[in-house]
Amino acid sequence: MDFSLPQDLAQFLEDLDSFIEREIAPLQNSDDNNRFFDHRREYARTDFEKDGLPRPEWEALLNEATKRADKAGFYRLSLPKEYGGKEAGNLWMAVIREHLASKGLGLFNDLQNEHSVVGNFPDIVMLKGFGSEAQKKEFIWGRLEGRTSTTFGLTEPNHGSDATHMDTKAVREVRDGVRGWRIDGAKKWQTNMHRATHCIIFARTSGNAGDARGITAFIVPSGSPGIKVISYEWTFNMPTDHATVAFTNVFVPESAVFGEVDNGLSIAQAFVHENRIRQAASSLGAAVFCIQESVKYARQRKPFGEELAKNQAIQFPLVELATQAEMLRLLIRKTAWDMDRMSPRDIDKLISDKVSMCNYWANRLCTQAADRAIQASTCTSRIHSQSSQ
């Protein structure tokens, strides 16, 4: 069993770092674009007069970085060759996501909004696996060419991680001679709703609350009559583009059905699993960054002439976090490796628990590492205070 990175992946990371240094870093350092990443970033990114949405100039900068990454051949890495990609699997993406996040915050990779020079495309995963030929043509190429953008509507105001309990309903209806569906309900955390052309909405079409079967996905134009943005949810890290959206008497034709009627949950799971393993890798990378910065600071800071790093109160917690990071890395990469050898349906049946474990522990480790980094940076004042008593 070989745990070393494949040579071509290691070379890719080197090429990626060179591209970032050559193309992205100069862009970030020009025209005061660093205001979006330093202590001014919350105010620079946020249009507080427009519900706290992202400022246009912030999103324009992200788009420019994406264009450069696409031109250089990095952005579509995970996509099939027919869409200009190189078909990199979950293992490659997990390694890359950790690598980028461990470098810290920058225009090359921003975890607040999933921006990265190596794109993440869970929506295209869904469309490729379950969409009709017409839907693939319209929404995959539309997404890549900037003509279409979708939200993902699974979570509801009263229902969270248990997707089988949802109040949003869809019933068959004929309106003005057109056969279709009427959708009523509400969804929460609709990312990018402010610029979405369509909403991917999951609704119960049969069965009872709690049943896995009986849920159907629909692709609904965001400007359809009956769709209303109730609010944009303000978060601890502004800006926000996460909307709560109501659907009242919204009508869509049969062509809006995405995948099989009553079997939409498998589409949602395909999105969730690929997204979660990559988010887990990103959270691990962020944790590694915090650990590394804590060690660096503890070695530089010398209260009373001694390195802060020589204190066991600093050493032990950081060693524990570093140990957990090493173990989590193995679990994430093993799970990603397994995912690359399974169909989306088998992933859901066989290792969805492992994907959830990765995501749960990575998010927890990230917050613990950030907390420890803050504590390490304030230890000097505590030590001085105790010494003077």
mmCIF file with all atom_site columns, all heavy atoms in Angstrom, residues 335-355:
data_model
loop_
_atom_site.group_PDB
_atom_site.id
_atom_site.type_symbol
_atom_site.label_atom_id
_atom_site.label_alt_id
_atom_site.label_comp_id
_atom_site.label_asym_id
_atom_site.label_entity_id
_atom_site.label_seq_id
_atom_site.pdbx_PDB_ins_code
_atom_site.Cartn_x
_atom_site.Cartn_y
_atom_site.Cartn_z
_atom_site.occupancy
_atom_site.B_iso_or_equiv
_atom_site.pdbx_formal_charge
_atom_site.auth_seq_id
_atom_site.auth_comp_id
_atom_site.auth_asym_id
_atom_site.auth_atom_id
_atom_site.pdbx_PDB_model_num
ATOM 1   N N   . THR A 1 335 ? -11.225 8.015  2.026   1.00 0.00 ? 335 THR A N   1
ATOM 2   C CA  . THR A 1 335 ? -12.624 8.131  1.624   1.00 0.00 ? 335 THR A CA  1
ATOM 3   C C   . THR A 1 335 ? -12.732 8.653  0.192   1.00 0.00 ? 335 THR A C   1
ATOM 4   O O   . THR A 1 335 ? -13.534 8.141  -0.607  1.00 0.00 ? 335 THR A O   1
ATOM 5   C CB  . THR A 1 335 ? -13.392 9.058  2.589   1.00 0.00 ? 335 THR A CB  1
ATOM 6   O OG1 . THR A 1 335 ? -13.261 8.559  3.928   1.00 0.00 ? 335 THR A OG1 1
ATOM 7   C CG2 . THR A 1 335 ? -14.856 9.129  2.230   1.00 0.00 ? 335 THR A CG2 1
ATOM 8   N N   . ALA A 1 336 ? -11.938 9.660  -0.149  1.00 0.00 ? 336 ALA A N   1
ATOM 9   C CA  . ALA A 1 336 ? -11.944 10.196 -1.505  1.00 0.00 ? 336 ALA A CA  1
ATOM 10  C C   . ALA A 1 336 ? -11.502 9.136  -2.514  1.00 0.00 ? 336 ALA A C   1
ATOM 11  O O   . ALA A 1 336 ? -12.057 9.025  -3.609  1.00 0.00 ? 336 ALA A O   1
ATOM 12  C CB  . ALA A 1 336 ? -11.033 11.422 -1.586  1.00 0.00 ? 336 ALA A CB  1
ATOM 13  N N   . TRP A 1 337 ? -10.506 8.353  -2.145  1.00 0.00 ? 337 TRP A N   1
ATOM 14  C CA  . TRP A 1 337 ? -10.013 7.265  -2.998  1.00 0.00 ? 337 TRP A CA  1
ATOM 15  C C   . TRP A 1 337 ? -11.114 6.229  -3.235  1.00 0.00 ? 337 TRP A C   1
ATOM 16  O O   . TRP A 1 337 ? -11.307 5.756  -4.349  1.00 0.00 ? 337 TRP A O   1
ATOM 17  C CB  . TRP A 1 337 ? -8.806  6.628  -2.327  1.00 0.00 ? 337 TRP A CB  1
ATOM 18  C CG  . TRP A 1 337 ? -8.124  5.538  -3.098  1.00 0.00 ? 337 TRP A CG  1
ATOM 19  C CD1 . TRP A 1 337 ? -7.207  5.674  -4.102  1.00 0.00 ? 337 TRP A CD1 1
ATOM 20  C CD2 . TRP A 1 337 ? -8.287  4.122  -2.900  1.00 0.00 ? 337 TRP A CD2 1
ATOM 21  N NE1 . TRP A 1 337 ? -6.784  4.433  -4.542  1.00 0.00 ? 337 TRP A NE1 1
ATOM 22  C CE2 . TRP A 1 337 ? -7.433  3.458  -3.821  1.00 0.00 ? 337 TRP A CE2 1
ATOM 23  C CE3 . TRP A 1 337 ? -9.055  3.358  -2.029  1.00 0.00 ? 337 TRP A CE3 1
ATOM 24  C CZ2 . TRP A 1 337 ? -7.343  2.073  -3.901  1.00 0.00 ? 337 TRP A CZ2 1
ATOM 25  C CZ3 . TRP A 1 337 ? -8.964  1.964  -2.110  1.00 0.00 ? 337 TRP A CZ3 1
ATOM 26  C CH2 . TRP A 1 337 ? -8.120  1.341  -3.039  1.00 0.00 ? 337 TRP A CH2 1
ATOM 27  N N   . ASP A 1 338 ? -11.849 5.893  -2.175  1.00 0.00 ? 338 ASP A N   1
ATOM 28  C CA  . ASP A 1 338 ? -12.972 4.959  -2.313  1.00 0.00 ? 338 ASP A CA  1
ATOM 29  C C   . ASP A 1 338 ? -14.060 5.541  -3.212  1.00 0.00 ? 338 ASP A C   1
ATOM 30  O O   . ASP A 1 338 ? -14.648 4.831  -4.044  1.00 0.00 ? 338 ASP A O   1
ATOM 31  C CB  . ASP A 1 338 ? -13.575 4.642  -0.940  1.00 0.00 ? 338 ASP A CB  1
ATOM 32  C CG  . ASP A 1 338 ? -12.712 3.686  -0.124  1.00 0.00 ? 338 ASP A CG  1
ATOM 33  O OD1 . ASP A 1 338 ? -11.931 2.930  -0.732  1.00 0.00 ? 338 ASP A OD1 1
ATOM 34  O OD2 . ASP A 1 338 ? -12.821 3.697  1.119   1.00 0.00 ? 338 ASP A OD2 1
ATOM 35  N N   . MET A 1 339 ? -14.346 6.830  -3.055  1.00 0.00 ? 339 MET A N   1
ATOM 36  C CA  . MET A 1 339 ? -15.381 7.475  -3.862  1.00 0.00 ? 339 MET A CA  1
ATOM 37  C C   . MET A 1 339 ? -15.057 7.416  -5.349  1.00 0.00 ? 339 MET A C   1
ATOM 38  O O   . MET A 1 339 ? -15.952 7.267  -6.180  1.00 0.00 ? 339 MET A O   1
ATOM 39  C CB  . MET A 1 339 ? -15.562 8.931  -3.423  1.00 0.00 ? 339 MET A CB  1
ATOM 40  C CG  . MET A 1 339 ? -16.162 9.111  -2.044  1.00 0.00 ? 339 MET A CG  1
ATOM 41  S SD  . MET A 1 339 ? -16.184 10.842 -1.506  1.00 0.00 ? 339 MET A SD  1
ATOM 42  C CE  . MET A 1 339 ? -17.411 11.527 -2.638  1.00 0.00 ? 339 MET A CE  1
ATOM 43  N N   . ASP A 1 340 ? -13.775 7.511  -5.672  1.00 0.00 ? 340 ASP A N   1
ATOM 44  C CA  . ASP A 1 340 ? -13.370 7.476  -7.080  1.00 0.00 ? 340 ASP A CA  1
ATOM 45  C C   . ASP A 1 340 ? -13.602 6.118  -7.721  1.00 0.00 ? 340 ASP A C   1
ATOM 46  O O   . ASP A 1 340 ? -13.546 5.994  -8.950  1.00 0.00 ? 340 ASP A O   1
ATOM 47  C CB  . ASP A 1 340 ? -11.886 7.853  -7.209  1.00 0.00 ? 340 ASP A CB  1
ATOM 48  C CG  . ASP A 1 340 ? -11.658 9.340  -7.002  1.00 0.00 ? 340 ASP A CG  1
ATOM 49  O OD1 . ASP A 1 340 ? -12.612 10.119 -7.167  1.00 0.00 ? 340 ASP A OD1 1
ATOM 50  O OD2 . ASP A 1 340 ? -10.515 9.724  -6.671  1.00 0.00 ? 340 ASP A OD2 1
ATOM 51  N N   . ARG A 1 341 ? -13.854 5.106  -6.912  1.00 0.00 ? 341 ARG A N   1
ATOM 52  C CA  . ARG A 1 341 ? -14.052 3.753  -7.413  1.00 0.00 ? 341 ARG A CA  1
ATOM 53  C C   . ARG A 1 341 ? -15.499 3.303  -7.310  1.00 0.00 ? 341 ARG A C   1
ATOM 54  O O   . ARG A 1 341 ? -15.802 2.125  -7.443  1.00 0.00 ? 341 ARG A O   1
ATOM 55  C CB  . ARG A 1 341 ? -13.143 2.775  -6.648  1.00 0.00 ? 341 ARG A CB  1
ATOM 56  C CG  . ARG A 1 341 ? -11.704 2.887  -7.112  1.00 0.00 ? 341 ARG A CG  1
ATOM 57  C CD  . ARG A 1 341 ? -10.694 2.493  -6.046  1.00 0.00 ? 341 ARG A CD  1
ATOM 58  N NE  . ARG A 1 341 ? -9.343  2.635  -6.574  1.00 0.00 ? 341 ARG A NE  1
ATOM 59  C CZ  . ARG A 1 341 ? -8.715  3.805  -6.751  1.00 0.00 ? 341 ARG A CZ  1
ATOM 60  N NH1 . ARG A 1 341 ? -9.327  4.926  -6.420  1.00 0.00 ? 341 ARG A NH1 1
ATOM 61  N NH2 . ARG A 1 341 ? -7.492  3.857  -7.253  1.00 0.00 ? 341 ARG A NH2 1
ATOM 62  N N   . MET A 1 342 ? -16.402 4.260  -7.055  1.00 0.00 ? 342 MET A N   1
ATOM 63  C CA  . MET A 1 342 ? -17.812 3.936  -6.888  1.00 0.00 ? 342 MET A CA  1
ATOM 64  C C   . MET A 1 342 ? -18.688 4.862  -7.725  1.00 0.00 ? 342 MET A C   1
ATOM 65  O O   . MET A 1 342 ? -18.287 5.980  -8.049  1.00 0.00 ? 342 MET A O   1
ATOM 66  C CB  . MET A 1 342 ? -18.234 4.071  -5.423  1.00 0.00 ? 342 MET A CB  1
ATOM 67  C CG  . MET A 1 342 ? -17.548 3.137  -4.464  1.00 0.00 ? 342 MET A CG  1
ATOM 68  S SD  . MET A 1 342 ? -18.175 3.396  -2.781  1.00 0.00 ? 342 MET A SD  1
ATOM 69  C CE  . MET A 1 342 ? -17.114 2.267  -1.870  1.00 0.00 ? 342 MET A CE  1
ATOM 70  N N   . SER A 1 343 ? -19.886 4.398  -8.014  1.00 0.00 ? 343 SER A N   1
ATOM 71  C CA  . SER A 1 343 ? -20.891 5.262  -8.621  1.00 0.00 ? 343 SER A CA  1
ATOM 72  C C   . SER A 1 343 ? -21.514 6.122  -7.524  1.00 0.00 ? 343 SER A C   1
ATOM 73  O O   . SER A 1 343 ? -21.425 5.788  -6.336  1.00 0.00 ? 343 SER A O   1
ATOM 74  C CB  . SER A 1 343 ? -21.982 4.411  -9.277  1.00 0.00 ? 343 SER A CB  1
ATOM 75  O OG  . SER A 1 343 ? -22.742 3.733  -8.280  1.00 0.00 ? 343 SER A OG  1
ATOM 76  N N   . PRO A 1 344 ? -22.146 7.251  -7.897  1.00 0.00 ? 344 PRO A N   1
ATOM 77  C CA  . PRO A 1 344 ? -22.809 8.072  -6.884  1.00 0.00 ? 344 PRO A CA  1
ATOM 78  C C   . PRO A 1 344 ? -23.807 7.290  -6.033  1.00 0.00 ? 344 PRO A C   1
ATOM 79  O O   . PRO A 1 344 ? -23.921 7.512  -4.823  1.00 0.00 ? 344 PRO A O   1
ATOM 80  C CB  . PRO A 1 344 ? -23.512 9.151  -7.713  1.00 0.00 ? 344 PRO A CB  1
ATOM 81  C CG  . PRO A 1 344 ? -22.666 9.280  -8.934  1.00 0.00 ? 344 PRO A CG  1
ATOM 82  C CD  . PRO A 1 344 ? -22.201 7.874  -9.227  1.00 0.00 ? 344 PRO A CD  1
ATOM 83  N N   . ARG A 1 345 ? -24.525 6.335  -6.635  1.00 0.00 ? 345 ARG A N   1
ATOM 84  C CA  . ARG A 1 345 ? -25.498 5.549  -5.878  1.00 0.00 ? 345 ARG A CA  1
ATOM 85  C C   . ARG A 1 345 ? -24.800 4.650  -4.860  1.00 0.00 ? 345 ARG A C   1
ATOM 86  O O   . ARG A 1 345 ? -25.278 4.483  -3.731  1.00 0.00 ? 345 ARG A O   1
ATOM 87  C CB  . ARG A 1 345 ? -26.354 4.711  -6.833  1.00 0.00 ? 345 ARG A CB  1
ATOM 88  C CG  . ARG A 1 345 ? -27.225 5.541  -7.763  1.00 0.00 ? 345 ARG A CG  1
ATOM 89  C CD  . ARG A 1 345 ? -28.049 4.662  -8.692  1.00 0.00 ? 345 ARG A CD  1
ATOM 90  N NE  . ARG A 1 345 ? -28.706 5.436  -9.731  1.00 0.00 ? 345 ARG A NE  1
ATOM 91  C CZ  . ARG A 1 345 ? -29.867 6.039  -9.584  1.00 0.00 ? 345 ARG A CZ  1
ATOM 92  N NH1 . ARG A 1 345 ? -30.515 5.963  -8.439  1.00 0.00 ? 345 ARG A NH1 1
ATOM 93  N NH2 . ARG A 1 345 ? -30.408 6.723  -10.596 1.00 0.00 ? 345 ARG A NH2 1
ATOM 94  N N   . ASP A 1 346 ? -23.656 4.067  -5.244  1.00 0.00 ? 346 ASP A N   1
ATOM 95  C CA  . ASP A 1 346 ? -22.929 3.206  -4.311  1.00 0.00 ? 346 ASP A CA  1
ATOM 96  C C   . ASP A 1 346 ? -22.297 4.018  -3.184  1.00 0.00 ? 346 ASP A C   1
ATOM 97  O O   . ASP A 1 346 ? -22.228 3.552  -2.044  1.00 0.00 ? 346 ASP A O   1
ATOM 98  C CB  . ASP A 1 346 ? -21.848 2.416  -5.060  1.00 0.00 ? 346 ASP A CB  1
ATOM 99  C CG  . ASP A 1 346 ? -22.419 1.281  -5.893  1.00 0.00 ? 346 ASP A CG  1
ATOM 100 O OD1 . ASP A 1 346 ? -23.546 0.845  -5.595  1.00 0.00 ? 346 ASP A OD1 1
ATOM 101 O OD2 . ASP A 1 346 ? -21.744 0.833  -6.842  1.00 0.00 ? 346 ASP A OD2 1
ATOM 102 N N   . ILE A 1 347 ? -21.843 5.214  -3.508  1.00 0.00 ? 347 ILE A N   1
ATOM 103 C CA  . ILE A 1 347 ? -21.303 6.083  -2.459  1.00 0.00 ? 347 ILE A CA  1
ATOM 104 C C   . ILE A 1 347 ? -22.361 6.333  -1.404  1.00 0.00 ? 347 ILE A C   1
ATOM 105 O O   . ILE A 1 347 ? -22.096 6.249  -0.200  1.00 0.00 ? 347 ILE A O   1
ATOM 106 C CB  . ILE A 1 347 ? -20.821 7.421  -3.066  1.00 0.00 ? 347 ILE A CB  1
ATOM 107 C CG1 . ILE A 1 347 ? -19.586 7.197  -3.943  1.00 0.00 ? 347 ILE A CG1 1
ATOM 108 C CG2 . ILE A 1 347 ? -20.489 8.430  -1.964  1.00 0.00 ? 347 ILE A CG2 1
ATOM 109 C CD1 . ILE A 1 347 ? -19.173 8.414  -4.730  1.00 0.00 ? 347 ILE A CD1 1
ATOM 110 N N   . ASP A 1 348 ? -23.575 6.618  -1.864  1.00 0.00 ? 348 ASP A N   1
ATOM 111 C CA  . ASP A 1 348 ? -24.677 6.892  -0.941  1.00 0.00 ? 348 ASP A CA  1
ATOM 112 C C   . ASP A 1 348 ? -24.981 5.674  -0.068  1.00 0.00 ? 348 ASP A C   1
ATOM 113 O O   . ASP A 1 348 ? -25.240 5.795  1.129   1.00 0.00 ? 348 ASP A O   1
ATOM 114 C CB  . ASP A 1 348 ? -25.911 7.302  -1.739  1.00 0.00 ? 348 ASP A CB  1
ATOM 115 C CG  . ASP A 1 348 ? -27.032 7.786  -0.845  1.00 0.00 ? 348 ASP A CG  1
ATOM 116 O OD1 . ASP A 1 348 ? -26.735 8.417  0.181   1.00 0.00 ? 348 ASP A OD1 1
ATOM 117 O OD2 . ASP A 1 348 ? -28.202 7.523  -1.173  1.00 0.00 ? 348 ASP A OD2 1
ATOM 118 N N   . LYS A 1 349 ? -24.911 4.495  -0.669  1.00 0.00 ? 349 LYS A N   1
ATOM 119 C CA  . LYS A 1 349 ? -25.264 3.281  0.066   1.00 0.00 ? 349 LYS A CA  1
ATOM 120 C C   . LYS A 1 349 ? -24.148 2.781  0.982   1.00 0.00 ? 349 LYS A C   1
ATOM 121 O O   . LYS A 1 349 ? -24.399 2.278  2.072   1.00 0.00 ? 349 LYS A O   1
ATOM 122 C CB  . LYS A 1 349 ? -25.625 2.163  -0.920  1.00 0.00 ? 349 LYS A CB  1
ATOM 123 C CG  . LYS A 1 349 ? -26.910 2.401  -1.700  1.00 0.00 ? 349 LYS A CG  1
ATOM 124 C CD  . LYS A 1 349 ? -27.145 1.259  -2.681  1.00 0.00 ? 349 LYS A CD  1
ATOM 125 C CE  . LYS A 1 349 ? -28.403 1.480  -3.505  1.00 0.00 ? 349 LYS A CE  1
ATOM 126 N NZ  . LYS A 1 349 ? -28.593 0.388  -4.506  1.00 0.00 ? 349 LYS A NZ  1
ATOM 127 N N   . LEU A 1 350 ? -22.892 2.921  0.519   1.00 0.00 ? 350 LEU A N   1
ATOM 128 C CA  . LEU A 1 350 ? -21.794 2.216  1.184   1.00 0.00 ? 350 LEU A CA  1
ATOM 129 C C   . LEU A 1 350 ? -20.912 3.087  2.081   1.00 0.00 ? 350 LEU A C   1
ATOM 130 O O   . LEU A 1 350 ? -20.435 2.610  3.118   1.00 0.00 ? 350 LEU A O   1
ATOM 131 C CB  . LEU A 1 350 ? -20.917 1.517  0.132   1.00 0.00 ? 350 LEU A CB  1
ATOM 132 C CG  . LEU A 1 350 ? -21.624 0.488  -0.752  1.00 0.00 ? 350 LEU A CG  1
ATOM 133 C CD1 . LEU A 1 350 ? -20.661 -0.051 -1.803  1.00 0.00 ? 350 LEU A CD1 1
ATOM 134 C CD2 . LEU A 1 350 ? -22.175 -0.656 0.102   1.00 0.00 ? 350 LEU A CD2 1
ATOM 135 N N   . ILE A 1 351 ? -20.663 4.331  1.690   1.00 0.00 ? 351 ILE A N   1
ATOM 136 C CA  . ILE A 1 351 ? -19.706 5.112  2.485   1.00 0.00 ? 351 ILE A CA  1
ATOM 137 C C   . ILE A 1 351 ? -20.183 6.529  2.791   1.00 0.00 ? 351 ILE A C   1
ATOM 138 O O   . ILE A 1 351 ? -19.370 7.411  3.094   1.00 0.00 ? 351 ILE A O   1
ATOM 139 C CB  . ILE A 1 351 ? -18.326 5.182  1.794   1.00 0.00 ? 351 ILE A CB  1
ATOM 140 C CG1 . ILE A 1 351 ? -18.429 5.843  0.416   1.00 0.00 ? 351 ILE A CG1 1
ATOM 141 C CG2 . ILE A 1 351 ? -17.682 3.819  1.700   1.00 0.00 ? 351 ILE A CG2 1
ATOM 142 C CD1 . ILE A 1 351 ? -17.066 6.175  -0.177  1.00 0.00 ? 351 ILE A CD1 1
ATOM 143 N N   . SER A 1 352 ? -21.479 6.765  2.722   1.00 0.00 ? 352 SER A N   1
ATOM 144 C CA  . SER A 1 352 ? -21.960 8.105  3.068   1.00 0.00 ? 352 SER A CA  1
ATOM 145 C C   . SER A 1 352 ? -21.624 8.441  4.518   1.00 0.00 ? 352 SER A C   1
ATOM 146 O O   . SER A 1 352 ? -21.420 9.619  4.857   1.00 0.00 ? 352 SER A O   1
ATOM 147 C CB  . SER A 1 352 ? -23.470 8.211  2.840   1.00 0.00 ? 352 SER A CB  1
ATOM 148 O OG  . SER A 1 352 ? -24.180 7.316  3.672   1.00 0.00 ? 352 SER A OG  1
ATOM 149 N N   . ASP A 1 353 ? -21.542 7.416  5.383   1.00 0.00 ? 353 ASP A N   1
ATOM 150 C CA  . ASP A 1 353 ? -21.172 7.668  6.772   1.00 0.00 ? 353 ASP A CA  1
ATOM 151 C C   . ASP A 1 353 ? -19.732 8.169  6.879   1.00 0.00 ? 353 ASP A C   1
ATOM 152 O O   . ASP A 1 353 ? -19.424 9.060  7.682   1.00 0.00 ? 353 ASP A O   1
ATOM 153 C CB  . ASP A 1 353 ? -21.354 6.407  7.622   1.00 0.00 ? 353 ASP A CB  1
ATOM 154 C CG  . ASP A 1 353 ? -20.557 5.208  7.103   1.00 0.00 ? 353 ASP A CG  1
ATOM 155 O OD1 . ASP A 1 353 ? -20.241 5.168  5.892   1.00 0.00 ? 353 ASP A OD1 1
ATOM 156 O OD2 . ASP A 1 353 ? -20.254 4.301  7.909   1.00 0.00 ? 353 ASP A OD2 1
ATOM 157 N N   . LYS A 1 354 ? -18.840 7.625  6.039   1.00 0.00 ? 354 LYS A N   1
ATOM 158 C CA  . LYS A 1 354 ? -17.438 8.067  6.069   1.00 0.00 ? 354 LYS A CA  1
ATOM 159 C C   . LYS A 1 354 ? -17.320 9.503  5.570   1.00 0.00 ? 354 LYS A C   1
ATOM 160 O O   . LYS A 1 354 ? -16.536 10.297 6.113   1.00 0.00 ? 354 LYS A O   1
ATOM 161 C CB  . LYS A 1 354 ? -16.575 7.149  5.196   1.00 0.00 ? 354 LYS A CB  1
ATOM 162 C CG  . LYS A 1 354 ? -16.578 5.692  5.624   1.00 0.00 ? 354 LYS A CG  1
ATOM 163 C CD  . LYS A 1 354 ? -16.012 5.513  7.018   1.00 0.00 ? 354 LYS A CD  1
ATOM 164 C CE  . LYS A 1 354 ? -15.831 4.042  7.370   1.00 0.00 ? 354 LYS A CE  1
ATOM 165 N NZ  . LYS A 1 354 ? -17.074 3.257  7.287   1.00 0.00 ? 354 LYS A NZ  1
ATOM 166 N N   . VAL A 1 355 ? -18.085 9.853  4.536   1.00 0.00 ? 355 VAL A N   1
ATOM 167 C CA  . VAL A 1 355 ? -18.076 11.230 4.039   1.00 0.00 ? 355 VAL A CA  1
ATOM 168 C C   . VAL A 1 355 ? -18.531 12.179 5.140   1.00 0.00 ? 355 VAL A C   1
ATOM 169 O O   . VAL A 1 355 ? -17.934 13.245 5.353   1.00 0.00 ? 355 VAL A O   1
ATOM 170 C CB  . VAL A 1 355 ? -18.972 11.367 2.790   1.00 0.00 ? 355 VAL A CB  1
ATOM 171 C CG1 . VAL A 1 355 ? -19.027 12.820 2.332   1.00 0.00 ? 355 VAL A CG1 1
ATOM 172 C CG2 . VAL A 1 355 ? -18.465 10.481 1.667   1.00 0.00 ? 355 VAL A CG2 1
#
